[in-house]
Amino acid sequence: MRSIRPYVTGAIALAVAAVIFVMPFVFVALQAVKSKSEASRLDFELPAQWLFWDNLVAVFKARDYQLVLAYFNSTLITVVSVTILILLSAMVGYVMQRRKTAWNRVASIALFMGLMMPPAVVPTIGLLQDIGLFKTMTGMILIQVAYNLSFSTLLYRSFISTIPRDLDEAALIDGAKPRQIFFRVILPLLKPVTVTNIVVQSIAIFNDFTNPLYYLPGKENVTVQLTLYNFQSMYTSQYNLLFMNILLVTIPPLIVFIFFNRQIVAGMTSGAVKG
Amino acid sequence: MIETRPRSRKSPYPLWFFIPAAIIYGVLFLVPTVSSLWFSLTRWDLSTAEFIGLENFQQFFSEPFLVRGLVNTLIYAVTTSGLKTVCGLLLAVLLTSNIFARGFLRTLVFFPVLVSTIGIGITFTVMMHPTKGIINVTLETLGIPGPGWLTNPALALFSVALVDLWKGVGLATLIFIAGLAAISPDYYEAARIDGATRLQQFFRVTLPLVRPATVTVVTLSLIGGLRSFDLIWAMTRGGPGFSSDVIASVIYKQYQAGFYGLSTAGNVILFALIAAIILPLTLWLNRRGVEE
């Protein structure tokens, strides 16, 4: 009796989880490969014809290849802002953890505010217009850096406390300049938390909808989440294409998840429970 | 000549490391946040701002649909946070116990956390369709008349909250799993020797000792719930009527309509709401943690 119990509970849990967590994804995938009329019934019937390729091409071609442009824009924003984020938050986390000055208090309060407070959107738009960065990729990238800096820094700060100070001192005695200690000695040692940061932040920024909606309007600036939002009104009669689009937008996080599952989990939990 | 300065007087941790981050954060986050306090007191068209005192706030609190947004924000945040805490803890207990396919189940529960909120919103909107949606079609075959999940004004906000739970419970579960892993098995051993039942073990050992994780989950999900916008916007646009409007969607609607001062006033109200809830909560939860 005792030995079969884990299997029984496990099987029940699997069945329930399959219905609750897998069905929606199956539903998306199924509608994405159907014809327009079959998809409009919104059921679980298998398609008479599997139109994966046709639908894929149709979604990419829609609105003058808008989705291609969107993928380009989203990727650019994600890559550049994550790179800047990593560098700046590692620098801040390092000095905050190592050097206790009055500025630490200021930085801590700023971090806490950044985690808690929603951004003041309209004043930010006004400001971006004043400095000429509204509706620009540069503006969007800097916004993503500003909004995600707190979380990144927090992860770095707690990780840096695990690196012994002796290392800094050894490098100092060897004649390294402060800048070199950080870039040559510390930054390479931060690799595990850097990977976590890259994964978590790129998923967050790639999936972000609200900020591009506010700060990056305009056809030429479209991001993948915005295409989805635009397609929602456009494709109410073409559910097959709408769901093909959802499927395509889900693939990048899926790939990241398959490769970095363990780092995400480790980073999220260490950052969350200790922080 | 510069080299003759003794090295030891200069800290190896340069303060200029703060500067690039401080500039970006200061200009793009702090300046707008502080200036929103001023702009919320103006009639504003993005170029000229005319001071009108508390008129925006007066208007906000005298329009029933704006007040509705405030009330809905509270309901939504408390509902989602409560559900995520309870379901997350129960799932974490299940997924740390000795069951079949544990790793796979953890993966399954966590995956929606990473998926596009807009994609999830659209998918569930379709599945919650009152007549064609698979949820109601399934219920019908079981003989239960399904409700209009998103079309019934009394239900729409809670339907979105359920989808929020579906998407976010994985993160709560993950945090609780980390918290549970930190509890020494000795406590359970001792409890078993004393003859504690499984239920007693849960309430007397697990629940008190998993407290740091609980604090994290409650705080995170409350903040998330109070700020929530994208899922609600994707699923209902605040409707039907204003029945699922929250402050964040009110801010967006007023912005779209060109009422920049009023929109910013909404933002200030959201700041105040978050500060009024989260600050005392954090202080209270952390103080109790230290006393133990």
Side-chain angles (χ1 to χ4, degrees):
Chain A
M1 182 62 201
R2 187 177 265 180
S3 60
I4 63 159
R5 193 175 168 160
Y7 289 96
V8 175
T9 337
I12 295 171
L14 262 181
V16 174
V19 172
I20 295 177
F21 287 101
V22 181
M23 255 195 6
F25 291 107
V26 174
F27 180 73
V28 170
L30 208 53
Q31 307 311 314
V33 296
K34 286 185 185 181
S35 70
K36 184 180 154 187
S37 62
E38 280 179 326
S40 69
R41 289 204 300 269
L42 304 175
D43 56 21
F44 266 95
E45 299 271 317
L46 287 178
Q49 256 187 307
W50 295 71
L51 299 172
F52 177 80
W53 193 247
D54 298 34
N55 290 347
L56 187 78
V57 172
V59 170
F60 271 113
K61 275 188 177 164
R63 291 192 177 178
D64 288 333
Y65 295 92
Q66 202 191 40
L67 194 58
V68 181
L69 179 65
Y71 261 101
F72 175 78
N73 286 344
S74 285
T75 311
L76 186 73
I77 293 170
T78 307
V79 171
V80 179
S81 41
V82 170
T83 311
I84 300 175
L85 258 176
I86 294 300
L87 195 63
L88 298 192
S89 54
M91 285 162 69
V92 173
Y94 171 64
V95 178
M96 269 184 96
Q97 209 285 317
R98 287 297 205 246
R99 186 172 174 182
K100 305 293 173 205
T101 66
W103 289 107
N104 271 12
R105 224 182 142 63
V106 178
S108 297
I109 294 171
L111 280 188
F112 185 67
M113 268 189 72
L115 286 177
M116 211 174 78
M117 287 298 178
V121 277
V122 191
T124 311
I125 291 172
L127 188 113
L128 286 172
Q129 277 182 346
D130 289 345
I131 55 180
L133 292 177
F134 185 52
K135 296 188 194 179
T136 66
M137 296 295 258
T138 315
M140 190 67 248
I141 287 166
L142 292 174
I143 288 281
Q144 295 292 12
V145 173
Y147 290 0
N148 294 297
L149 207 56
S150 297
F151 182 69
S152 264
T153 306
L154 217 64
L155 284 184
Y156 274 117
R157 195 177 56 171
S158 59
F159 189 85
I160 288 164
S161 64
T162 65
I163 295 176
R165 265 167 183 268
D166 305 350
L167 273 172
D168 316 3
E169 272 146 33
L172 196 66
I173 289 164
D174 286 347
K177 294 197 177 72
R179 195 167 16 95
Q180 288 171 327
I181 301 178
F182 176 72
F183 286 102
R184 299 267 180 84
V185 182
I186 303 295
L187 205 53
L189 288 172
L190 299 179
K191 200 178 153 201
V193 73
T194 300
V195 173
T196 303
N197 248 323
I198 291 175
V199 172
V200 172
Q201 299 288 16
S202 45
I203 288 177
I205 294 172
F206 189 84
N207 279 340
D208 187 16
F209 164 72
T210 314
N211 295 316
L213 180 71
Y214 274 117
Y215 307 123
L216 206 56
K219 242 168 64 184
E220 68 285 4
N221 292 325
V222 73
T223 64
V224 284
Q225 304 304 324
L226 283 177
T227 59
L228 209 50
Y229 175 70
N230 296 337
F231 283 8
Q232 188 185 9
S233 44
M234 183 187 165
Y235 282 153
T236 40
S237 59
Q238 286 174 289
Y239 280 112
N240 53 343
L241 299 191
L242 181 62
F243 282 103
M244 177 53 85
N245 198 339
I246 295 177
L247 192 67
L248 288 175
V249 168
T250 309
I251 287 171
L254 181 66
I255 294 171
V256 169
F257 183 61
I258 289 168
F259 284 104
F260 297 105
N261 187 5
R262 292 184 62 182
Q263 274 100 331
I264 306 176
V265 171
M268 288 254 201
T269 47
S270 70
V273 177
K274 281 180 204 148
Chain B
M1 271 300 146
I2 298 163
E3 285 299 312
T4 57
R5 239 168 73 193
R7 261 238 167 79
S8 58
R9 278 177 56 195
K10 224 168 122 190
S11 166
Y13 310 115
L15 279 177
W16 69 261
F17 271 31
F18 282 150
I19 293 173
I23 291 174
I24 296 179
Y25 185 80
V27 171
L28 292 176
F29 187 83
L30 290 181
V31 169
T33 302
V34 173
S35 67
S36 69
L37 299 177
W38 156 252
F39 285 120
S40 66
L41 303 174
T42 64
R43 188 173 292 119
W44 182 30
D45 61 5
L46 283 179
S47 52
T48 54
E50 179 201 344
F51 183 77
I52 54 165
L54 292 173
E55 222 172 89
N56 286 324
F57 292 94
Q58 223 165 29
Q59 194 186 344
F60 194 101
F61 287 107
S62 61
E63 298 273 8
F65 71 96
L66 297 179
V67 177
R68 179 88 192 252
L70 187 65
V71 175
N72 281 346
T73 306
L74 287 170
I75 296 176
Y76 187 82
V78 171
T79 310
T80 51
S81 172
L83 286 174
K84 281 178 194 172
T85 309
V86 174
C87 298
L89 180 58
L90 294 179
L91 273 172
V93 170
L94 177 74
L95 296 180
T96 45
S97 69
N98 177 26
I99 65 163
F100 171 68
R102 193 169 66 180
F104 181 70
L105 281 168
R106 285 186 189 180
T107 307
L108 216 56
V109 172
F110 185 68
F111 185 60
V113 173
L114 307 175
V115 178
S116 146
T117 309
I118 301 300
I120 286 177
I122 296 172
T123 306
F124 274 91
T125 307
V126 168
M127 298 202 309
M128 286 176 164
H129 189 281
T131 53
K132 283 158 75 181
I134 53 157
I135 296 179
N136 279 1
V137 170
T138 313
L139 287 176
E140 218 168 274
T141 54
L142 298 172
I144 309 164
W149 298 99
L150 298 169
T151 50
N152 179 349
L155 210 62
L157 189 69
F158 293 100
S159 302
V160 181
L162 277 183
V163 179
D164 198 333
L165 172 70
W166 182 88
K167 175 165 167 56
V169 75
L171 184 60
T173 307
L174 190 72
I175 295 169
F176 275 121
I177 287 176
L180 291 176
I183 301 176
S184 158
D186 297 351
Y187 289 109
Y188 293 102
E189 185 97 7
R192 263 198 303 276
I193 291 168
D194 288 347
T197 63
R198 274 178 167 266
L199 215 59
Q200 281 172 327
Q201 285 176 35
F202 176 78
F203 282 105
R204 299 287 172 81
V205 181
T206 310
L207 211 51
L209 289 176
V210 82
R211 189 189 168 86
T214 316
V215 171
T216 307
V217 171
V218 170
T219 319
L220 272 183
S221 55
L222 258 183
I223 296 175
L226 290 169
R227 294 171 57 165
S228 178
F229 171 72
D230 44 9
L231 189 64
I232 291 173
W233 195 249
M235 292 187 71
T236 65
R237 304 277 196 281
F242 304 103
S243 61
S244 65
D245 253 328
V246 290
I247 297 185
S249 65
V250 167
I251 293 171
Y252 184 67
K253 283 180 179 174
Q254 301 303 327
Y255 159 71
Q256 263 190 324
F259 298 120
Y260 300 127
L262 190 59
S263 175
T264 308
N267 233 318
V268 172
I269 292 169
L270 186 54
F271 292 158
L273 191 67
I274 290 180
I277 293 175
I278 303 298
L279 284 179
L281 186 76
T282 318
L283 290 175
W284 182 68
L285 290 172
N286 288 341
R287 197 193 56 208
R288 289 223 11 214
V290 172
E291 274 171 13
E292 283 159 15

